[in-house]
Amino acid sequence: MKVLLLKDPKDKESGPDPYVKELGLYGFEATLIPVLSFEFVSLEGLFEKQLSHPECYGGLVFTSPRALEAIKICLRENSKNEAWSKSLKQEWNAKPTYVVGKATASLVEEIGLCPQGEKSGNAEKLAEYICSREGPHSSPLLFPCGALKREVLPTALKEKGIPLESLTVYQTAQHEHLQQSLSSYFSQQGVPASIVFFSPSGVKFCLQHIQKLSGDFANRIKFAAIGPTTAEAMEAAGIPVSCTAESPTPQDLTAGIQKALRPQNCILSE
């Protein structure tokens, strides 16, 4: 059975994409189509005004791998990398680094920091995790994020009096080859058994194209979500959600798709 994954492939240097690999173990033929493109912004300010002054913050918060990519771009410059390795990394490691999901946690480890909260899986649960560990009136947590970030986490922390400083470090747009890639896939591979959305932005940019390309066969597709936030966006757009991964991992997504594609159409609860 064919599965279409609406996501960027993992960095080629890191080996095969874990979602394609995991689905392949269970006989699924998975294909990736990049949906989003990203423009990094405010990187000079991120390093000079924020990362260079850990004494001003109570810790870090990351809910997106892209925010970590922004930091890695900053650290490509020798002088900044040297400052990071010499003292800044150790100073930040004396403070908590809160993250959503294993992918983000892995990138945090790559820059030498120790992630906390990766099992939370979404912003709501991470907010609960942070609130259980942080008190009001402490130093603000630094939150590098995207321009389209949801307000769930900032609002939850604000309600508990926990200060958070958000800094937009990337902007999201539709991938320039998205429409062409989707058309090529459907013409060459046909209509897949399942299509997986990995973000609300993916729903926004892909839905119209997919409906047009699948035509009368759309009701045969099992649509899957990587998490509850994406599932909400799918439902709001009128897409029937056949399964939502219990956590944003290749294993849980594969388990959900397996259940959704069984003859009895068992639906994985959120």
Side-chain angles (χ1 to χ4, degrees), residues 2-6 182 185-186 191-197 206 210 214 221-225 234 257:
K2 294 176 180 177
V3 177
L4 177 57
L5 305 174
L6 299 172
L182 285 171
Y185 177 87
F186 276 83
V191 177
S194 178
I195 295 178
V196 185
F197 288 95
C206 293
I210 288 173
S214 56
I221 301 171
K222 300 299 181 183
F223 291 99
M234 292 165 65
I257 290 174

Side-chain angles (χ1 to χ4, degrees), residues 101-174:
K102 292 182 179 179
T104 306
S106 177
L107 289 172
V108 164
E109 291 171 345
E110 286 182 17
I111 63 170
L113 300 181
C114 299
Q116 297 182 27
E118 63 263 35
K119 293 183 180 179
S120 53
N122 60 57
E124 290 88 344
K125 291 181 180 177
L126 180 62
E128 294 175 7
Y129 182 88
I130 293 174
C131 289
S132 71
R133 284 159 174 76
E134 298 287 334
H137 313 302
S138 55
S139 298
L141 298 170
L142 178 60
F143 180 32
C145 56
L148 299 179
K149 76 175 188 307
R150 295 171 71 231
E151 294 300 320
V152 171
L153 188 142
T155 300
L157 297 192
K158 184 177 181 180
E159 289 175 352
K160 296 292 184 179
I162 300 171
L164 183 76
E165 183 178 319
S166 301
L167 177 69
T168 298
V169 295
Y170 68 92
Q171 297 174 336
T172 306
Q174 177 178 314

Side-chain angles (χ1 to χ4, degrees), residues 28-29 75 206 227:
F28 293 108
E29 184 183 341
L75 298 180
C206 293

Side-chain angles (χ1 to χ4, degrees), residues 177-252:
H177 300 306
L178 174 61
Q179 188 170 353
Q180 178 185 342
S181 297
L182 285 171
S183 296
S184 296
Y185 177 87
F186 276 83
S187 64
Q188 295 172 16
Q189 305 284 342
V191 177
S194 178
I195 295 178
V196 185
F197 288 95
F198 282 76
S199 69
S201 297
V203 177
K204 174 184 175 182
F205 294 138
C206 293
L207 179 57
Q208 188 175 354
H209 300 313
I210 288 173
Q211 288 175 330
K212 181 179 179 181
L213 291 165
S214 56
D216 295 336
F217 294 98
N219 59 356
R220 298 185 185 181
I221 301 171
K222 300 299 181 183
F223 291 99
I226 192 61
T229 303
T230 301
E232 289 173 12
M234 292 165 65
E235 290 168 350
I239 304 174
V241 182
S242 295
C243 73
T244 303
E246 289 187 3
S247 64
T249 65
Q251 292 76 20
D252 282 348

